[in-house]
Amino acid sequence: MKSAIPTLTTLVGLATSISALAPAAIGKQTSNRLHWSPVFYRKRREPKSDVITDTKITEDEVRQLFSLWSDALGTLDPDVVTRRYSSDAVLLPTLSNKPRTDYESIKDYFVTFLANKPQGRILESHITLGDLWCSDVGIYKFTMGTTGESVKARYSFIYGYEDGEWKISHHHSSKMPEAKTTNKIDCKQVRELFNLWNDALCTLDPDAVAQRYSKKAVLLPTVSDTPRTDYDSIRDYFVTFLQREPKGEIVESYVTSGGSWCKDVGIYKFTMGTDNSVVAARYTFLYVLENGEWKISHHHSSVLPEGMLED
């Protein structure tokens, strides 16, 4: 009977066979683990073939660009809104005849517009996609937080790709041409106009206050004999008045609303932040609709002739 123990010749042959197979097996295993294989390297590291792929945008994403702009409005910060526009943007705004063609002029428009605390949403949208540009045109609606008034308008947004971000290259906004012109404002909304003026006082910025007055406004102030009949003279009065850090409150109000005008007359009082003193006075505010916004056309303020109002 032959022995079951392998001979030396058999063992040598087996070892030779294993040695021949081991490099291939080990190389394959190591290649899978460390990605040495040329096939794996190309699959994981291959760069994008066309850089425009990074800037392609879908219709839903274009509509999201409006949301970014609307969210910027919600901050009430004109700089945040203006940064949504490209470096060479042109804005043709709803409530101003002047084309805005640079950062400062665009910001200037939104300083005034944001005073209304607008909240916008799209009612109808039509999207066009191009090569590194896109457009969104249609109809949007704004609800003014200060008065609750809703306004519809037509819009055109043309977006361009600038410094790795989609920005507004052109924005044209216009009133609905067939809309019925109604300037009705209710008593509550008229009283809210005082809050806009009072909020401007709280900024302690004389320009912010003067901007609440119409182009042909006349101010007969409480503590000055000089009628103020233009922007500079109105601003000059508030430079001094704001030094006392006044905060106003209506005590008694009588409102009348007309077509494109309204008035609010009565008694208000101011608490002065510098010394906490309280001063009461009689007031007359006459408001007019100017470029789609209610502005103070006439403001007459006078001390109470019979003395200080009791708290």
Side-chain angles (χ1 to χ4, degrees):
M1 178 180 294
K2 293 182 178 180
S3 173
I5 300 173
T7 65
L8 179 60
T9 302
T10 303
L11 291 173
V12 171
L14 180 60
T16 302
S17 299
I18 293 173
S19 298
L21 293 173
I26 294 171
K28 184 176 181 181
Q29 182 180 1
T30 305
S31 175
N32 285 339
R33 185 173 66 252
L34 300 180
H35 308 295
W36 288 351
S37 167
V39 173
F40 286 121
Y41 178 81
R42 287 193 297 271
K43 185 175 181 180
R44 291 173 61 88
R45 304 287 187 178
E46 184 177 354
K48 296 179 180 179
S49 59
D50 191 348
V51 69
I52 297 178
T53 302
D54 289 341
T55 60
K56 285 183 177 178
I57 189 168
T58 66
E59 291 192 6
D60 286 340
E61 289 170 333
V62 172
R63 292 187 178 95
Q64 282 300 313
L65 296 177
F66 171 83
S67 296
L68 290 177
W69 180 78
S70 183
D71 290 346
L73 292 183
T75 68
L76 303 181
D77 184 338
D79 281 300
V80 173
V81 181
T82 306
R83 286 196 288 267
R84 294 305 313 155
Y85 291 78
S86 69
S87 58
D88 59 352
V90 176
L91 165 64
L92 302 180
T94 319
L95 303 176
S96 173
N97 294 336
K98 179 182 177 182
R100 311 300 173 118
T101 59
D102 56 26
Y103 187 96
E104 290 303 324
S105 61
I106 292 173
K107 176 186 174 181
D108 175 71
Y109 175 74
F110 285 109
V111 167
T112 302
F113 185 61
L114 291 177
N116 298 310
K117 300 181 180 179
Q119 296 177 333
R121 66 185 181 92
I122 288 177
L123 302 180
E124 184 177 338
S125 170
H126 304 276
I127 303 293
T128 301
L129 303 179
D131 183 9
L132 294 178
W133 69 273
C134 56
S135 68
D136 180 5
V137 303
I139 297 172
Y140 51 18
K141 178 181 179 181
F142 292 96
T143 300
M144 305 304 176
T146 52
T147 64
E149 180 186 6
S150 293
V151 179
K152 289 199 298 183
R154 302 176 299 177
Y155 71 85
S156 296
F157 284 109
I158 299 175
Y159 300 98
Y161 198 73
E162 180 179 278
D163 297 331
E165 185 178 3
W166 288 96
K167 293 288 189 76
I168 301 168
S169 176
H170 174 54
H171 179 193
H172 185 166
S173 185
S174 63
K175 295 179 181 179
M176 304 294 284
E178 298 179 19
K180 295 181 179 179
T181 56
T182 174
N183 301 317
K184 288 184 179 179
I185 183 171
D186 60 32
C187 293
K188 180 180 178 181
Q189 292 171 331
V190 173
R191 292 188 176 97
E192 283 294 330
L193 297 176
F194 170 83
N195 292 334
L196 289 179
W197 179 79
N198 192 44
D199 288 346
L201 290 184
C202 292
T203 68
L204 303 182
D205 181 352
D207 283 299
V209 182
Q211 287 165 3
R212 295 305 313 155
Y213 291 78
S214 68
K215 293 178 180 178
K216 297 182 178 180
V218 176
L219 166 64
L220 302 179
T222 318
V223 292
S224 173
D225 292 340
T226 305
R228 311 299 173 118
T229 59
D230 58 26
Y231 185 94
D232 289 336
S233 62
I234 292 173
R235 180 187 184 279
D236 176 71
Y237 175 75
F238 286 107
V239 167
T240 302
F241 185 62
L242 292 177
Q243 291 177 2
R244 301 189 65 186
E245 300 178 8
K247 184 176 181 181
E249 176 188 348
I250 288 180
V251 178
E252 192 173 339
S253 169
Y254 302 92
V255 170
T256 302
S257 179
S260 57
W261 68 275
C262 57
K263 67 179 174 69
D264 181 7
V265 303
I267 297 172
Y268 51 19
K269 67 179 180 179
F270 295 93
T271 301
M272 304 302 176
T274 52
D275 58 11
N276 290 322
S277 63
V278 178
V279 179
R282 300 177 298 180
Y283 71 85
T284 298
F285 283 110
L286 174 64
Y287 301 98
V288 296
L289 199 59
E290 183 176 275
N291 294 326
E293 185 179 4
W294 289 99
K295 293 290 190 75
I296 302 168
S297 176
H298 173 53
H299 179 193
H300 185 164
S301 184
S302 63
V303 296
L304 294 173
E306 298 180 16
M308 182 72 75
L309 184 72
E310 296 285 339
D311 284 341

